[in-house]
């Protein structure tokens, strides 16, 4: 609810001429944070690969790396031509606490932004 209200306030601030707008859908998810704030390419198993760890900036790089991944899976791009080397999946200590802090922090920012 906090994030949706923030989006409505932001939309009204940016485009006041639109008036009241109802969102048909919304999306949110976990923020994939890495220790050095760079995305990762993982070879998880035979024929199972992924990019992840966008550190809260996933829409643009996720779109670009999704196209790259599709080219790789289709055999149009060699692994050595990928923008990131294969990295092992790393275990992050205190993962649950980090997730809770990121969630609370983003909600706090969206709750207070443009109100203070």
């Amino acid at each position: 609810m906090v994030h949706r209200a923030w989006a409505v306030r932001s939309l009204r601030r940016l485009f006041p001429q639109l008036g009241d707008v109802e969102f048909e859908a919304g999306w949110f998810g976990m923020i994939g944070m890495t220790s050095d704030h760079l995305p990762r390419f993982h070879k998880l198993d035979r024929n199972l690969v992924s990019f992840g760890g966008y550190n809260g900036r996933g829409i643009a790089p996720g779109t670009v790396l999704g196209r790259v991944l599709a080219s790789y899976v289709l055999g149009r791009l060699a692994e050595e031509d990928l923008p990131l080397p294969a990295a092992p999946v790393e275990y992050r200590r205190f993962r649950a606490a980090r997730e809770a802090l990121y969630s609370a922090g983003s909600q706090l920012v969206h709750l207070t932004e443009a109100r203070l």
Side-chain angles (χ1 to χ4, degrees), residues 4-5 9 14 17 41 55 88 91 94 96 99 116:
R4 182 178 291 270
R9 285 193 313 276
L14 291 170
Q17 66 275 22
F41 168 63
N55 300 284
Y91 172 77
F94 309 111
E99 289 173 0
L116 300 176

mmCIF file with all atom_site columns, all heavy atoms in Angstrom, residues 4-5 9 14 17 41 55 88 91 94 96 99 116:
data_model
loop_
_atom_site.group_PDB
_atom_site.id
_atom_site.type_symbol
_atom_site.label_atom_id
_atom_site.label_alt_id
_atom_site.label_comp_id
_atom_site.label_asym_id
_atom_site.label_entity_id
_atom_site.label_seq_id
_atom_site.pdbx_PDB_ins_code
_atom_site.Cartn_x
_atom_site.Cartn_y
_atom_site.Cartn_z
_atom_site.occupancy
_atom_site.B_iso_or_equiv
_atom_site.pdbx_formal_charge
_atom_site.auth_seq_id
_atom_site.auth_comp_id
_atom_site.auth_asym_id
_atom_site.auth_atom_id
_atom_site.pdbx_PDB_model_num
ATOM 1   N N   . ARG A 1 4   ? 2.254  1.898   -3.527  1.00 0.00 ? 4   ARG A N   1
ATOM 2   C CA  . ARG A 1 4   ? 1.208  2.333   -4.458  1.00 0.00 ? 4   ARG A CA  1
ATOM 3   C C   . ARG A 1 4   ? 0.842  3.804   -4.204  1.00 0.00 ? 4   ARG A C   1
ATOM 4   O O   . ARG A 1 4   ? 0.715  4.594   -5.141  1.00 0.00 ? 4   ARG A O   1
ATOM 5   C CB  . ARG A 1 4   ? -0.034 1.462   -4.332  1.00 0.00 ? 4   ARG A CB  1
ATOM 6   C CG  . ARG A 1 4   ? -1.147 1.844   -5.317  1.00 0.00 ? 4   ARG A CG  1
ATOM 7   C CD  . ARG A 1 4   ? -2.348 0.930   -5.192  1.00 0.00 ? 4   ARG A CD  1
ATOM 8   N NE  . ARG A 1 4   ? -2.061 -0.400  -5.664  1.00 0.00 ? 4   ARG A NE  1
ATOM 9   C CZ  . ARG A 1 4   ? -2.232 -0.799  -6.929  1.00 0.00 ? 4   ARG A CZ  1
ATOM 10  N NH1 . ARG A 1 4   ? -2.680 0.040   -7.825  1.00 0.00 ? 4   ARG A NH1 1
ATOM 11  N NH2 . ARG A 1 4   ? -1.958 -2.037  -7.285  1.00 0.00 ? 4   ARG A NH2 1
ATOM 12  N N   . ALA A 1 5   ? 0.702  4.189   -2.940  1.00 0.00 ? 5   ALA A N   1
ATOM 13  C CA  . ALA A 1 5   ? 0.385  5.583   -2.604  1.00 0.00 ? 5   ALA A CA  1
ATOM 14  C C   . ALA A 1 5   ? 1.502  6.505   -3.067  1.00 0.00 ? 5   ALA A C   1
ATOM 15  O O   . ALA A 1 5   ? 1.247  7.611   -3.565  1.00 0.00 ? 5   ALA A O   1
ATOM 16  C CB  . ALA A 1 5   ? 0.150  5.723   -1.099  1.00 0.00 ? 5   ALA A CB  1
ATOM 17  N N   . ARG A 1 9   ? 1.139  9.611   -5.743  1.00 0.00 ? 9   ARG A N   1
ATOM 18  C CA  . ARG A 1 9   ? 1.620  10.968  -5.453  1.00 0.00 ? 9   ARG A CA  1
ATOM 19  C C   . ARG A 1 9   ? 2.637  11.427  -6.494  1.00 0.00 ? 9   ARG A C   1
ATOM 20  O O   . ARG A 1 9   ? 2.598  12.573  -6.963  1.00 0.00 ? 9   ARG A O   1
ATOM 21  C CB  . ARG A 1 9   ? 2.258  11.036  -4.059  1.00 0.00 ? 9   ARG A CB  1
ATOM 22  C CG  . ARG A 1 9   ? 1.285  11.018  -2.915  1.00 0.00 ? 9   ARG A CG  1
ATOM 23  C CD  . ARG A 1 9   ? 1.929  11.407  -1.584  1.00 0.00 ? 9   ARG A CD  1
ATOM 24  N NE  . ARG A 1 9   ? 3.196  10.756  -1.287  1.00 0.00 ? 9   ARG A NE  1
ATOM 25  C CZ  . ARG A 1 9   ? 3.335  9.544   -0.740  1.00 0.00 ? 9   ARG A CZ  1
ATOM 26  N NH1 . ARG A 1 9   ? 2.245  8.834   -0.439  1.00 0.00 ? 9   ARG A NH1 1
ATOM 27  N NH2 . ARG A 1 9   ? 4.522  9.042   -0.488  1.00 0.00 ? 9   ARG A NH2 1
ATOM 28  N N   . LEU A 1 14  ? 4.137  14.787  -11.167 1.00 0.00 ? 14  LEU A N   1
ATOM 29  C CA  . LEU A 1 14  ? 4.745  14.891  -12.492 1.00 0.00 ? 14  LEU A CA  1
ATOM 30  C C   . LEU A 1 14  ? 3.758  15.283  -13.582 1.00 0.00 ? 14  LEU A C   1
ATOM 31  O O   . LEU A 1 14  ? 4.099  16.020  -14.507 1.00 0.00 ? 14  LEU A O   1
ATOM 32  C CB  . LEU A 1 14  ? 5.400  13.553  -12.861 1.00 0.00 ? 14  LEU A CB  1
ATOM 33  C CG  . LEU A 1 14  ? 6.626  13.165  -12.061 1.00 0.00 ? 14  LEU A CG  1
ATOM 34  C CD1 . LEU A 1 14  ? 7.018  11.726  -12.347 1.00 0.00 ? 14  LEU A CD1 1
ATOM 35  C CD2 . LEU A 1 14  ? 7.786  14.102  -12.378 1.00 0.00 ? 14  LEU A CD2 1
ATOM 36  N N   . GLN A 1 17  ? -2.057 17.329  -14.835 1.00 0.00 ? 17  GLN A N   1
ATOM 37  C CA  . GLN A 1 17  ? -3.145 17.461  -15.802 1.00 0.00 ? 17  GLN A CA  1
ATOM 38  C C   . GLN A 1 17  ? -3.913 16.151  -15.997 1.00 0.00 ? 17  GLN A C   1
ATOM 39  O O   . GLN A 1 17  ? -5.035 16.159  -16.504 1.00 0.00 ? 17  GLN A O   1
ATOM 40  C CB  . GLN A 1 17  ? -2.623 17.986  -17.150 1.00 0.00 ? 17  GLN A CB  1
ATOM 41  C CG  . GLN A 1 17  ? -1.691 17.050  -17.890 1.00 0.00 ? 17  GLN A CG  1
ATOM 42  C CD  . GLN A 1 17  ? -0.230 17.142  -17.482 1.00 0.00 ? 17  GLN A CD  1
ATOM 43  O OE1 . GLN A 1 17  ? 0.114  17.585  -16.394 1.00 0.00 ? 17  GLN A OE1 1
ATOM 44  N NE2 . GLN A 1 17  ? 0.652  16.693  -18.361 1.00 0.00 ? 17  GLN A NE2 1
ATOM 45  N N   . PHE A 1 41  ? 26.239 -13.073 -13.457 1.00 0.00 ? 41  PHE A N   1
ATOM 46  C CA  . PHE A 1 41  ? 25.829 -14.105 -14.407 1.00 0.00 ? 41  PHE A CA  1
ATOM 47  C C   . PHE A 1 41  ? 26.115 -15.433 -13.723 1.00 0.00 ? 41  PHE A C   1
ATOM 48  O O   . PHE A 1 41  ? 27.234 -15.673 -13.256 1.00 0.00 ? 41  PHE A O   1
ATOM 49  C CB  . PHE A 1 41  ? 26.622 -13.995 -15.709 1.00 0.00 ? 41  PHE A CB  1
ATOM 50  C CG  . PHE A 1 41  ? 26.460 -15.176 -16.621 1.00 0.00 ? 41  PHE A CG  1
ATOM 51  C CD1 . PHE A 1 41  ? 25.219 -15.490 -17.164 1.00 0.00 ? 41  PHE A CD1 1
ATOM 52  C CD2 . PHE A 1 41  ? 27.536 -15.983 -16.936 1.00 0.00 ? 41  PHE A CD2 1
ATOM 53  C CE1 . PHE A 1 41  ? 25.064 -16.587 -17.987 1.00 0.00 ? 41  PHE A CE1 1
ATOM 54  C CE2 . PHE A 1 41  ? 27.396 -17.083 -17.775 1.00 0.00 ? 41  PHE A CE2 1
ATOM 55  C CZ  . PHE A 1 41  ? 26.156 -17.375 -18.301 1.00 0.00 ? 41  PHE A CZ  1
ATOM 56  N N   . ASN A 1 55  ? 20.633 -4.817  -7.735  1.00 0.00 ? 55  ASN A N   1
ATOM 57  C CA  . ASN A 1 55  ? 20.851 -3.827  -6.685  1.00 0.00 ? 55  ASN A CA  1
ATOM 58  C C   . ASN A 1 55  ? 19.868 -2.659  -6.737  1.00 0.00 ? 55  ASN A C   1
ATOM 59  O O   . ASN A 1 55  ? 20.235 -1.508  -6.528  1.00 0.00 ? 55  ASN A O   1
ATOM 60  C CB  . ASN A 1 55  ? 22.297 -3.326  -6.748  1.00 0.00 ? 55  ASN A CB  1
ATOM 61  C CG  . ASN A 1 55  ? 23.286 -4.451  -6.564  1.00 0.00 ? 55  ASN A CG  1
ATOM 62  O OD1 . ASN A 1 55  ? 23.487 -4.920  -5.453  1.00 0.00 ? 55  ASN A OD1 1
ATOM 63  N ND2 . ASN A 1 55  ? 23.873 -4.924  -7.652  1.00 0.00 ? 55  ASN A ND2 1
ATOM 64  N N   . PRO A 1 88  ? 30.124 -17.792 -9.101  1.00 0.00 ? 88  PRO A N   1
ATOM 65  C CA  . PRO A 1 88  ? 29.410 -18.730 -8.232  1.00 0.00 ? 88  PRO A CA  1
ATOM 66  C C   . PRO A 1 88  ? 28.316 -18.006 -7.449  1.00 0.00 ? 88  PRO A C   1
ATOM 67  O O   . PRO A 1 88  ? 28.419 -16.804 -7.179  1.00 0.00 ? 88  PRO A O   1
ATOM 68  C CB  . PRO A 1 88  ? 30.500 -19.243 -7.290  1.00 0.00 ? 88  PRO A CB  1
ATOM 69  C CG  . PRO A 1 88  ? 31.534 -18.173 -7.282  1.00 0.00 ? 88  PRO A CG  1
ATOM 70  C CD  . PRO A 1 88  ? 31.484 -17.521 -8.638  1.00 0.00 ? 88  PRO A CD  1
ATOM 71  N N   . TYR A 1 91  ? 26.685 -17.018 -0.773  1.00 0.00 ? 91  TYR A N   1
ATOM 72  C CA  . TYR A 1 91  ? 25.822 -16.974 0.400   1.00 0.00 ? 91  TYR A CA  1
ATOM 73  C C   . TYR A 1 91  ? 26.059 -15.652 1.108   1.00 0.00 ? 91  TYR A C   1
ATOM 74  O O   . TYR A 1 91  ? 27.201 -15.277 1.378   1.00 0.00 ? 91  TYR A O   1
ATOM 75  C CB  . TYR A 1 91  ? 26.154 -18.137 1.335   1.00 0.00 ? 91  TYR A CB  1
ATOM 76  C CG  . TYR A 1 91  ? 25.428 -18.036 2.656   1.00 0.00 ? 91  TYR A CG  1
ATOM 77  C CD1 . TYR A 1 91  ? 24.083 -18.370 2.746   1.00 0.00 ? 91  TYR A CD1 1
ATOM 78  C CD2 . TYR A 1 91  ? 26.071 -17.597 3.797   1.00 0.00 ? 91  TYR A CD2 1
ATOM 79  C CE1 . TYR A 1 91  ? 23.403 -18.272 3.942   1.00 0.00 ? 91  TYR A CE1 1
ATOM 80  C CE2 . TYR A 1 91  ? 25.404 -17.486 5.006   1.00 0.00 ? 91  TYR A CE2 1
ATOM 81  C CZ  . TYR A 1 91  ? 24.085 -17.828 5.069   1.00 0.00 ? 91  TYR A CZ  1
ATOM 82  O OH  . TYR A 1 91  ? 23.406 -17.707 6.252   1.00 0.00 ? 91  TYR A OH  1
ATOM 83  N N   . PHE A 1 94  ? 23.388 -12.950 7.173   1.00 0.00 ? 94  PHE A N   1
ATOM 84  C CA  . PHE A 1 94  ? 22.305 -12.111 7.691   1.00 0.00 ? 94  PHE A CA  1
ATOM 85  C C   . PHE A 1 94  ? 21.307 -11.712 6.594   1.00 0.00 ? 94  PHE A C   1
ATOM 86  O O   . PHE A 1 94  ? 20.792 -10.599 6.577   1.00 0.00 ? 94  PHE A O   1
ATOM 87  C CB  . PHE A 1 94  ? 22.868 -10.859 8.383   1.00 0.00 ? 94  PHE A CB  1
ATOM 88  C CG  . PHE A 1 94  ? 23.920 -11.159 9.403   1.00 0.00 ? 94  PHE A CG  1
ATOM 89  C CD1 . PHE A 1 94  ? 25.242 -10.801 9.182   1.00 0.00 ? 94  PHE A CD1 1
ATOM 90  C CD2 . PHE A 1 94  ? 23.605 -11.822 10.581  1.00 0.00 ? 94  PHE A CD2 1
ATOM 91  C CE1 . PHE A 1 94  ? 26.222 -11.085 10.111  1.00 0.00 ? 94  PHE A CE1 1
ATOM 92  C CE2 . PHE A 1 94  ? 24.572 -12.108 11.522  1.00 0.00 ? 94  PHE A CE2 1
ATOM 93  C CZ  . PHE A 1 94  ? 25.898 -11.738 11.285  1.00 0.00 ? 94  PHE A CZ  1
ATOM 94  N N   . ALA A 1 96  ? 18.163 -12.562 5.932   1.00 0.00 ? 96  ALA A N   1
ATOM 95  C CA  . ALA A 1 96  ? 16.809 -12.188 6.369   1.00 0.00 ? 96  ALA A CA  1
ATOM 96  C C   . ALA A 1 96  ? 16.803 -10.793 6.975   1.00 0.00 ? 96  ALA A C   1
ATOM 97  O O   . ALA A 1 96  ? 15.885 -9.997  6.720   1.00 0.00 ? 96  ALA A O   1
ATOM 98  C CB  . ALA A 1 96  ? 16.269 -13.213 7.363   1.00 0.00 ? 96  ALA A CB  1
ATOM 99  N N   . GLU A 1 99  ? 17.131 -8.244  4.144   1.00 0.00 ? 99  GLU A N   1
ATOM 100 C CA  . GLU A 1 99  ? 15.861 -8.124  3.420   1.00 0.00 ? 99  GLU A CA  1
ATOM 101 C C   . GLU A 1 99  ? 14.879 -7.260  4.195   1.00 0.00 ? 99  GLU A C   1
ATOM 102 O O   . GLU A 1 99  ? 14.205 -6.398  3.623   1.00 0.00 ? 99  GLU A O   1
ATOM 103 C CB  . GLU A 1 99  ? 15.266 -9.502  3.160   1.00 0.00 ? 99  GLU A CB  1
ATOM 104 C CG  . GLU A 1 99  ? 16.021 -10.307 2.139   1.00 0.00 ? 99  GLU A CG  1
ATOM 105 C CD  . GLU A 1 99  ? 15.512 -11.739 2.016   1.00 0.00 ? 99  GLU A CD  1
ATOM 106 O OE1 . GLU A 1 99  ? 14.559 -12.115 2.735   1.00 0.00 ? 99  GLU A OE1 1
ATOM 107 O OE2 . GLU A 1 99  ? 16.075 -12.484 1.205   1.00 0.00 ? 99  GLU A OE2 1
ATOM 108 N N   . LEU A 1 116 ? 7.541  15.642  3.630   1.00 0.00 ? 116 LEU A N   1
ATOM 109 C CA  . LEU A 1 116 ? 8.335  16.419  4.585   1.00 0.00 ? 116 LEU A CA  1
ATOM 110 C C   . LEU A 1 116 ? 9.017  17.575  3.910   1.00 0.00 ? 116 LEU A C   1
ATOM 111 O O   . LEU A 1 116 ? 9.311  17.616  2.797   1.00 0.00 ? 116 LEU A O   1
ATOM 112 C CB  . LEU A 1 116 ? 9.393  15.526  5.253   1.00 0.00 ? 116 LEU A CB  1
ATOM 113 C CG  . LEU A 1 116 ? 8.853  14.340  6.039   1.00 0.00 ? 116 LEU A CG  1
ATOM 114 C CD1 . LEU A 1 116 ? 10.007 13.506  6.558   1.00 0.00 ? 116 LEU A CD1 1
ATOM 115 C CD2 . LEU A 1 116 ? 7.995  14.799  7.181   1.00 0.00 ? 116 LEU A CD2 1
#
